[in-house]
Amino acid sequence: MISKKMMNAEEIEKNAHLFSCPVCGGELKLIDKSRLVCTDNHSFDLSRQGYVNLTTGAHLTKYDKALFEARKQIIDSGFFTPVLKRLTNLLSKQLEDKTEAAIIDAGCGEGSHLSTILLELGENVTGVGIDLSKEGILAAAKDHPGHIWAVADLANCPFADEQFDAILNILSPANYAEFSRLLKPNGLFVKVVPENDYLKELRAIFYDEAEREQDSDPTARVAEHFGAVKTERITYEFPLDQELLAKLIRMTPLTWGASEDKVHDAQRIGITSITIDFTIIIATRRNEGFEC
Ligand SMILES: C[S@@+](CC[C@H](N)C(=O)[O-])C[C@H]1O[C@@H](n2cnc3c(N)ncnc32)[C@H](O)[C@@H]1O
Ligand SMILES: [Zn+2]
């Protein structure tokens, strides 16, 4: 049986034209199904699991293995299902006339969202997931083989210009100049951002000033870089048992730095339902409106 590493390596080999060297910007080629090498001889080994690390320096990240395991359990529980359905719907409309297409999830974490969406989009769509966290990409390459998984910085995307039909950016930081460089002229950019009521039951306990100061108007930022922009709000309640609540507390940056007392409080209060409140920002480079 073909190994997971080989499944991932074959996807990289077939789609090597998507990549560009993060050091010199040159073309990359897969050699011996084991390393990507550019015309200037910069070389990037595939890992045992078949992902490639295309970062050029050390990056510190708070997203560790335990966080991604908790996040995967939350995702598997159906927590994100309504929003994933909407994203799948948007992308399938966007890609319906294409015989071949490529999409990238920038800040894909442990890869579940991208792999769920790809399952619905069909085999003619190539999926690329990048994240700065090695633990996230390692989990993605192990759990969702057959796609392209790379440790990479979305602020210095190791991909050639205008290669992607769609870019997903779910609850992750953005670099709009990079995203508009990567997107084909008729491609679609889709970003999911938390709204005021997202996890409001937890926010009431773990309110964090620093977090509140983050980009307060991402739609305006997107509009500075894209031709047409529209938004949709998606809000629902999700039931939680004690075990899922514990996972949710572990997976969200909201609880980083919180005291154990506060974590116990949240667990003791026994939140049984949580509010999910997102805006989906949809944008195109051209100012010609939307097909989806
Ligand atoms: C809240 S998580 C969301 C992960 C995933 N999209 C999800 O919804 O489960 C934010 C992710 O952004 C990633 N990230 C942060 N800065 C990044 C950067 N400069 N380049 C790539 N990924 C980054 C983190 O490693 C983390 O996996
Ligand atoms: Zn190079």
Side-chain angles (χ1 to χ4, degrees), residues 264-277:
H264 283 138
D265 276 359
Q267 199 77 59
R268 192 173 39 80
I269 290 166
I271 299 164
T272 55
S273 175
I274 194 95
T275 305
I276 296 165
D277 185 16

Side-chain angles (χ1 to χ4, degrees), residues 63 68 71 107-109 113 131-133 152-154 170-173:
Y63 288 87
F68 285 118
R71 205 162 177 95
C108 65
H113 297 329
D131 199 284
L132 204 48
S133 164
D153 185 356
L154 56 78
I170 307 170
L171 303 173
S172 294

Side-chain angles (χ1 to χ4, degrees), residues 21 23-26 38 40 42:
C21 174
V23 181
C24 69
C38 83
D40 238 5
H42 300 117

Side-chain angles (χ1 to χ4, degrees), residues 15-234:
N15 296 286
H17 62 277
L18 297 177
F19 291 88
S20 72
C21 174
V23 181
C24 69
E27 288 176 14
L28 285 164
K29 229 184 182 167
L30 192 69
I31 309 288
D32 297 336
K33 293 205 182 336
S34 67
R35 57 192 208 282
L36 275 171
V37 182
C38 83
T39 37
D40 238 5
N41 248 353
H42 300 117
S43 180
F44 306 89
D45 290 342
L46 264 62
S47 73
R48 256 186 323 123
Q49 300 79 11
Y51 69 82
V52 60
N53 189 333
L54 291 166
T55 53
T56 49
H59 291 274
L60 285 177
T61 169
K62 285 188 181 172
Y63 288 87
D64 59 13
K65 193 172 174 202
L67 182 144
F68 285 118
E69 280 171 1
R71 205 162 177 95
K72 181 175 171 50
Q73 278 163 299
I74 290 290
I75 295 171
D76 289 349
S77 75
F79 185 91
F80 289 100
T81 299
V83 68
L84 288 178
K85 281 200 169 140
R86 182 62 189 131
L87 297 180
T88 305
N89 189 262
L90 284 165
L91 292 188
S92 55
K93 281 214 180 104
Q94 174 71 14
L95 305 178
E96 68 189 349
D97 301 329
K98 310 230 184 273
T99 47
E100 274 192 11
I103 67 173
I104 183 168
D105 184 356
C108 65
E110 49 67 66
S112 293
H113 297 329
L114 178 62
S115 105
T116 302
I117 290 170
L118 285 168
L119 216 55
E120 298 294 320
L121 294 180
E123 297 221 323
N124 59 335
V125 181
T126 298
V128 179
I130 65 165
D131 199 284
L132 204 48
S133 164
K134 196 186 108 185
E135 292 297 345
I137 291 299
L138 196 155
K142 275 206 314 214
D143 295 344
H144 308 292
H147 309 304
I148 296 170
W149 302 109
V151 182
D153 185 356
L154 56 78
N156 179 27
C157 286
F159 298 99
D161 297 356
E162 300 191 348
Q163 292 297 323
F164 291 95
D165 296 276
I167 298 178
L168 285 168
N169 180 226
I170 307 170
L171 303 173
S172 294
N175 185 300
Y176 301 117
E178 276 295 78
F179 295 165
S180 70
R181 177 181 72 77
L182 296 185
L183 205 55
K184 288 183 183 171
N186 57 355
L188 195 71
F189 172 58
V190 183
K191 179 173 178 63
V192 178
V193 293
E195 272 298 338
N196 287 345
D197 284 347
Y198 182 50
L199 307 183
K200 70 175 177 197
E201 298 78 1
L202 281 183
R203 275 177 205 276
I205 302 166
F206 297 103
Y207 188 84
D208 175 1
E209 273 308 321
E211 192 219 10
R212 283 275 144 182
E213 283 167 15
Q214 281 178 7
D215 186 359
S216 57
D217 194 355
T219 309
R221 300 286 88 71
V222 174
E224 287 165 15
H225 289 85
F226 290 85
V229 180
K230 66 177 180 178
T231 62
E232 290 177 12
R233 186 107 173 223
I234 181 161

